[in-house]
Amino acid sequence: MSAESTPNLMEAVVSLAKRRGFVFQSSEIYGGLNGFFDYGPLGVELKKNIRDCWWNDMVRRRDDIVGIETSIIMHPKVWQASGHVDGFTDPLVDCKVSKQRYRADQLFFAAVTVDGEVKGYVSALESEDTVGALQAAAESFKRKKAIQGTLAPVVAVEFTEATEAQIPLIPSPATGEPGSLTPPRAFNMMFETHVGPLRDSASVAYLRPETAQGMFVDFKNVVDTGRVKLPFGIAQTGKSFRNEITPRNFVFRSREFEQMEMEFFIHEDDDWAKWHRHWIDWCKDWLLSIGLPASHLSEYDHLKEKLAFYSKGTTDIMFKFPFGVQELWGIAARGNYDLGQHEKASGVPQAIFDETTKKKFIPHVIEPAVGLDRIFLAVLCGAYAEEQVTDEKGKAETRTVLRLSPRIAPVKVAVLPLLKNKEALTERAKELYKKLQRRYAVFYDEAGAIGRRYRRQDEIGTPWCVTIDFDTIEKDGTFTLRERDSMEQRRVTEAELLALLDEQVY
RNA sequence: GCGGCCGUAGUUUAGUGGUAAAACUCCACUCUUCCAAAGUGGUCUCGAGGGUUCGAUUCCCUCCGGCCGCACCA
C-alpha cells in the first residue's frame, strides 16, 4: 500500500463530489448558474457536521460566548453605517486593448485646450500630482501633434464625470491611444432586493454580504439580556451573499455561501494583540481537530499599509488548496470601529459601563471569520487520497479513500451483513443498524461483495465498517470492525463498538 | 468583465451531415464465509436556443456552463 499525491487533485475532488453526491451545480438541468452550488445527501451531512463541531466548540462548550441568529435582510442603513454600500459600488472602467481595469474615481482626464479650442484629451491615474501629470501629458500632446498656440492650464476631471461624447476621445493610460475605454460601469457586490410589493428606491434592501453586522447591531440586546461580561463573544453561522465578478474554484468563491463568524468583545484597555494571537491559535487548533493536515496550514499577516484605517491587524490562516495557498480563516482586530459606526448612524449609544473605572466605553473586537464552504472544500482536498493496493492475486489497483476525521465524516459506521441471502445475518445486521441509528449517522448495505462495499465506504470517508458474520450469530456475538485508513480488521463486541464511537465522535 | 481553450451516460472517453459507442459506476436477480469476484438483465447521454440543410450531436450564430490567464476579491 502506498499513498501518492494525485496529479490533478482538484479535478479528482470535484469528480468525487459529484459522483458520490456531495456537491452539485445549482440548477444543473437548466444549464447551471455560475457561482451557486447545491449540497447533496452526503455533502449536507459533512457540512452540517463541520458547522455543528464549530458551534459546539465555539459556543456550547464555552462560558464566554453566546450564539445568535440574525436575519439575512437587515435595515439598509446597517450597510451604509458599515461602509458596504459605498465600498461596493465603485464604478470601473476597462481598457479593451490593454485589458487593464481602473476605478473610475481614480482615473482623471483633461481637455487639451489651445487658444480656446479643444484639440483632444489626456488622461492620468490619480497620484500625488495628478494635475501636474495631466499638464505634462497635455504639453507632450501639443508637441507631438505640432499644434501652435497657447495651451490653457488643464482642469482635472474624474472619469465618472466623462460625457458619452468624451469617452471615445479619452486615451487609455495604458496605451496612450483613445477609443479603448469603456464607460464606467458600477460593480455592486451586494445583491439587491425590495422589501414590500413596491419596487421603488425607498424599498431597496440588500442580502447581507457578511453575518458580522448582525452581531454588532444586536450587541446591546445581547448585553442587556444575555448576562455576559467582558471579555465575551457573540457567534453566528448563516448564509451570506456577494455578487462576485468571477466565482472560481468550485465552492471556494461562490455568490451564496455560509459563514461562521464570532465577534469577541474586549475592554478598550485590554491587550488586543494578546487576544488576536489567542484566537489565531484557537482557530488553527480547531482546524486540526476536524482533521485538516497541519502541513497545509500557514499564516499570513496582512500588510499594515493595506489594512482599512480602523484595523489594527489582520491575520489569515491559509490553506494549501490544489489551486494555490488561499485564505481560509481571517482573524481581524477591528478596534471599536463597527460599534462606533452604528452608534453614530443609529444614535443609540453602544458603550458599556465599567464598574471599576466608572467610565463608559465602546468595546473593541477581535473577529475570527471563516467560510463554511471553504472549510468543506479544504476538508475534501486534505482528505482525498488514492492508494495503490495489491489484491491477493497480486493485481495492483487504485483505492480511493477520503481520510475524514470521525468528527465530521458524513457516515460514522457502515453495517454490513457478510452475505445478503442468509436471513440470520441480515436480521442481526439490521438490528444493530437500528440501534446505532438512534445516535449516529450510519449506513446499511447488503448489495454486492463485501470488498466492494468496503471500498464504497472508503470513497465517502466512513471511518468504520462492521461486518456481521457467522461467528456473530453462532458463536460469541462479536463482529468484524474494519478500519478505513489501515484496512485492518479486528473482532469487537457491541459494547466495545459503542465505547469507540463515544470516544471518537464528538 | 476581457482573451484563449472546451462542452457526448453518474465518471473517463470514442465517433458521425442520415438521431451514437466502450469501460467503469449504478439498479435488479442468481451466486458469493471478509477487501472493487462471476453470470444474466436493466436505467441513463450529444448543455440550451436559433440558423443553414430533405435531414444537424456534427457546420454557423447567440446564450449558458467549465478550465486557464488578466482584472476583481469591499
Side-chain angles (χ1 to χ4, degrees):
Chain A
M1 182 169 79
S2 70
E4 51 194 56
S5 63
T6 309
N8 211 329
L9 178 59
M10 196 59 198
E11 215 169 276
V13 166
V14 172
S15 168
L16 175 75
K18 175 86 191 287
R19 191 168 69 244
R20 290 302 187 183
F22 283 91
V23 179
F24 309 121
Q25 196 178 20
S26 167
S27 318
E28 197 181 277
I29 62 169
Y30 289 102
L33 187 59
N34 193 333
F36 297 91
F37 293 93
D38 294 342
Y39 286 82
L42 290 173
V44 73
E45 290 290 337
L46 177 57
K47 192 176 165 191
K48 178 174 158 43
N49 290 343
I50 297 170
R51 186 197 299 115
D52 287 350
C53 278
W54 184 89
W55 188 263
N56 285 334
D57 293 337
M58 184 65 98
V59 179
R60 289 190 174 162
R61 290 169 184 155
R62 299 182 65 104
D63 302 327
D64 56 351
I65 296 179
V66 295
I68 58 171
E69 181 179 308
T70 64
S71 60
I72 287 172
I73 294 176
M74 302 171 80
H75 197 291
K77 283 183 179 168
V78 169
W79 306 111
Q80 279 158 17
S82 69
H84 285 84
V85 171
D86 291 338
F88 272 62
T89 48
D90 299 328
L92 298 177
V93 177
D94 286 310
C95 169
K96 285 183 282 194
V97 173
S98 69
K99 308 303 174 198
Q100 294 291 307
R101 165 169 289 173
Y102 308 101
R103 277 175 56 172
D105 60 347
Q106 294 175 354
L107 178 58
F108 289 82
F109 72 99
V112 180
T113 312
V114 178
D115 291 342
E117 195 181 334
V118 174
K119 298 288 188 184
Y121 292 90
V122 291
S123 65
L125 292 172
E126 186 172 35
S127 65
E128 285 172 12
D129 185 17
T130 311
V131 176
L134 286 170
Q135 187 68 44
E139 279 160 16
S140 161
F141 181 90
K142 177 170 173 273
R143 243 187 343 268
K144 270 189 199 157
K145 304 265 174 182
I147 301 166
Q148 301 298 317
T150 310
L151 177 67
V154 298
V155 179
V157 184
E158 210 178 279
F159 197 84
T160 49
E161 307 291 323
T163 65
E164 240 174 88
Q166 285 172 327
I167 288 170
L169 304 173
I170 298 170
S172 159
T175 64
E177 296 297 322
S180 64
L181 293 179
T182 65
R185 287 172 290 191
F187 285 75
N188 193 330
M189 299 273 279
M190 279 198 291
F191 280 95
E192 248 179 57
T193 186
H194 294 264
V195 173
L198 229 54
R199 297 186 67 84
D200 58 20
S201 60
S203 68
V204 168
Y206 305 98
L207 305 191
R208 65 181 175 200
E210 62 173 35
T211 59
Q213 296 304 321
M215 273 80 91
F216 296 125
V217 169
D218 281 4
F219 175 73
K220 284 300 275 180
N221 283 333
V222 173
V223 168
D224 292 345
T225 61
R227 303 198 64 207
V228 287
K229 265 191 224 152
L230 289 180
F232 75 94
I234 308 176
Q236 100 168 298
T237 71
K239 287 281 181 83
S240 290
F241 303 81
R242 294 181 198 181
N243 216 341
E244 297 284 356
I245 296 169
T246 311
R248 279 271 166 100
N249 294 324
F250 203 39
V251 297
F252 180 81
R253 175 172 294 133
S254 53
R255 290 182 163 133
E256 174 177 340
F257 57 101
E258 187 161 346
Q259 289 185 299
M260 306 194 293
E261 295 194 290
M262 193 275 288
E263 306 298 328
F264 195 74
F265 297 96
I266 59 175
H267 196 288
E268 62 176 350
D269 298 331
D270 206 341
D271 181 357
W272 69 266
K274 184 194 77 183
W275 283 111
H276 188 229
R277 187 69 240 169
H278 169 86
W279 282 109
I280 296 166
D281 292 338
W282 188 95
C283 294
K284 265 183 150 174
D285 287 345
W286 187 82
L287 290 171
L288 296 175
S289 85
I290 61 161
L292 286 192
S295 58
H296 286 46
L297 297 175
S298 55
E299 279 179 36
Y300 172 77
D301 295 322
H302 283 233
L303 297 174
K304 286 267 179 289
E305 311 84 69
K306 295 227 173 171
L307 292 175
F309 67 89
Y310 53 80
S311 179
K312 301 187 170 209
T314 298
T315 299
D316 289 342
I317 298 176
M318 313 291 282
F319 183 81
K320 197 170 84 186
F321 286 97
F323 45 86
V325 175
Q326 299 281 344
E327 175 192 345
L328 191 58
W329 205 329
I331 297 95
R334 299 177 61 89
N336 61 5
Y337 176 76
D338 300 277
L339 286 178
Q341 283 293 104
H342 286 303
E343 175 172 294
K344 262 189 258 171
S346 68
V348 178
Q350 300 294 310
I352 62 176
F353 185 67
D354 184 336
E355 298 289 352
T356 322
T357 61
K358 307 294 178 196
K359 282 201 315 204
K360 280 192 170 181
F361 66 96
I362 297 177
H364 288 225
V365 72
I366 310 288
E367 173 191 273
V370 67
L372 175 50
D373 310 79
R374 284 188 182 183
I375 295 187
F376 180 95
L377 182 59
V379 159
L380 284 186
C381 293
Y384 187 94
E386 287 176 6
E387 291 176 350
Q388 294 305 313
V389 293
T390 316
D391 66 15
E392 53 206 8
K393 293 167 204 135
K395 208 178 90 189
E397 58 185 13
T398 303
R399 179 174 88 116
T400 301
V401 52
L402 277 188
R403 302 185 189 284
L404 297 174
S405 156
R407 291 192 78 190
I408 59 171
V411 177
K412 310 300 184 195
V413 183
V415 181
L416 318 169
L418 184 59
L419 297 175
K420 179 186 180 182
N421 59 359
K422 298 286 187 291
E423 212 174 303
L425 294 177
T426 57
E427 261 181 27
R428 176 69 184 98
K430 282 176 184 165
E431 186 192 323
L432 178 66
Y433 169 64
K434 285 287 168 201
K435 185 164 185 180
L436 292 174
Q437 206 173 37
R438 292 168 61 184
R439 289 197 56 192
Y440 301 104
V442 289
F443 192 78
Y444 175 83
D445 191 3
E446 58 178 31
I450 190 71
R452 174 183 294 272
R453 282 179 275 160
Y454 286 153
R455 295 299 171 83
R456 274 200 281 248
Q457 296 304 317
D458 290 341
E459 213 178 41
I460 64 170
T462 306
W464 301 287
C465 293
V466 292
T467 300
I468 312 300
D469 57 23
F470 292 95
D471 283 0
T472 314
I473 52 174
E474 287 164 6
K475 283 167 129 181
D476 51 12
T478 62
F479 21 71
T480 304
L481 180 76
R482 184 264 193 186
E483 207 272 327
R484 177 194 64 206
D485 296 341
S486 64
M487 296 169 71
E488 275 167 10
Q489 305 186 355
R490 64 176 202 267
R491 297 205 69 86
V492 296
T493 64
E494 190 174 310
E496 284 167 339
L497 174 66
L498 291 172
L500 174 75
L501 288 172
D502 187 56
E503 187 206 323
Q504 300 272 329
V505 181
Y506 59 96

